[in-house]
Amino acid sequence: MQELLNKAQFQKLKEIKNPHLHDFIAKYVKLCNPSKVFVCTDSVEDEEYVKKKALEYGEERQLANPNHTVHFDNYYDQARDKENTRILISENIKLPYINTYDRKKGLEEIHKLMEGITEGKELFICFFTLGPPNSPFEIPAIQLTDSAYVAHNEFLLYRKGYEVFKRLKENPRFLKFVHSTGELDERKTSKNLDKRRVYIDLDGEAVLSINTQYGGNSIGLKKLAFRLTIKRAVEEGWLTEHMFIMGVNGPNGRVSYFTGAYPSMCGKTSTCTLIHEKLVGDDIASIRNINGEARAVNAEIGVFGIIEGVNEKDDPAIWEVLNSQNEVIFSNVLVKDGKVYWSGMGIEIPDEGENHSGKWWRGKKDKDGNEIPPSHRNARFTVRLGAFRNVDLEALNSPLGVKISGIIFGGRDADTLPPVSEAFDWVHGVITKGASLESETTAAILGKEGVRKFNPMAILDFLSIPISKYIENYLEFGRKLKHKPKIFAVNYFLRDERGQFLNEKEDKAVWLKWMELRVHDEVQALETPIGFIPCHDDLKVLFDRVLNKDYSKNDYIKQFTIRVPELLAKVDRIEKIYQENVKDTPEILFEVLEEEKDRLMKAKERFGEYISPLNFV
Ligand code: SPV
Ligand code: MN
């Protein structure tokens, strides 16, 4: 180590008495062979150094606002690379829906690609923790990266962990991430995309990611760590979920906390940042049973959010942050005269500038003849949660997290589920709302849009263990809770027979208030075959109070009609998926789905195929 690092940097590492850590660092520094190594402690100076280097090395550029920078990813490196993201496993087995690869072969292959990959570059060694330090949720992690942009993102998104590492006992468990952008082109974007690899070594609790910069592939503590923590959580009996955490303000100053799982681009960040509610986290929640309560913490302290469609009216809290003096990294937006622009921002966008495609003008086409929009649809912003006016800092920093009253599952669904419904109980919710989640594909993923896809718990892209084990753990987790959160499903994307959306974007604020009242048993609900739905009278009061809108009975009937043929078809699809593709599915899943089918058939006999909610009064 002493040979590889200069004296000051070596000294910083020496203060962490952990041979296992030193071996790991030495191994990858030797392999990648950077010309320089910088070790980040928790000091402000070290963070400032990284920020300065992101500008100096050209991965970020200064914008007119002194606290704003912009970064571009390669035109073909704009999203998570599912194909080249592989879970390395030792046994020769196939896991449905999971991209697995032989561990030995995978490690050999990627280590070969990593030989000398950081030559001539500076390598940053950073320490963080997922969850609050000194708490039951704490998970220490180390990141090696030759990208100051990646390290900068991590300083905005995660809690610093150098001091945590210093106090760890010998041979503790920690997560390890090694990242290299690989060779950069003249725009400082990753060039060798044909050698892009994200290899997840479950046994070694390490992820190696190369020849990419897009955050979802490169920021170790985000979706790369998620694959590792999902495995840990199932082994240890807790949950780590693709969920926001938010406090919903109830009557008389009461705050009730909810978590919510939605696939990317289905309203997750928009929901938890609602300006009149309390924001705790937008992407990854760890949930543990503490004294019989389900308690959640945000693994992160920042937001790496989608910027498209963020405007003053629909997302005032995010808008405010992006227009403030807080630190922001923008990525893959349009830049003109030091200012940034994106699609759907609600103000006029210039006809030219610079974006993820280089110099841009309206009408510009890419190699395949597709017109290039001003900003990429997966363009993002990185900010600290502390920048939000409505952040709940006490909840964010609480070592024991917050007590969860409700869990919400949301998807993009044109024709099946009503805007909000409540499961009968934990098991019914886990199976019919979570494990049965389907969502239409969006521009976030390459390929056709609007195709219905199975996406249990909105976690399918990140799953690293068999689905059956994951669901069993959920059921078991609930079984052991003294106070079980209620489980809800929401659907912001329901349409009528002409294809028109049946709800406004803002209506989600009302569904939250209704759920808040339900978890305290303060409103009645109607029992339908798929769970409980709101009564018109209660929604009318809430629409008036929250949105100052009249909510007609006619709208209510359209939105909350129980669509039996679609619901039955959905149960059939889900049953088939589990029967045909998921070995060892817990038997109870089929039982619960059969019961649901039964209720739907009986209701159909009595009331017909499309049942007005008024029939359930
Ligand atoms: C998501 O797509 O769910 C994200 C962004 O939160 S990424 O880091 O790409 O996963
Ligand atoms: Mn996410």
Side-chain angles (χ1 to χ4, degrees), residues 80 214-216 222-223 242 264 268 283 304 378 380 462:
R80 277 185 269 115
Y214 170 67
K222 202 172 192 47
K223 292 311 198 318
H242 194 207
S264 312
K268 183 150 131 274
D283 201 34
F304 177 59
N378 196 29
R380 301 226 167 213
F462 314 108

Side-chain angles (χ1 to χ4, degrees), residues 453-473:
K453 278 257 161 79
F454 170 63
N455 193 352
M457 280 81 171
I459 210 170
L460 195 60
D461 282 357
F462 314 108
L463 218 51
S464 55
I465 51 150
I467 301 179
S468 50
K469 287 221 168 66
Y470 172 77
I471 293 171
E472 248 163 44
N473 182 52

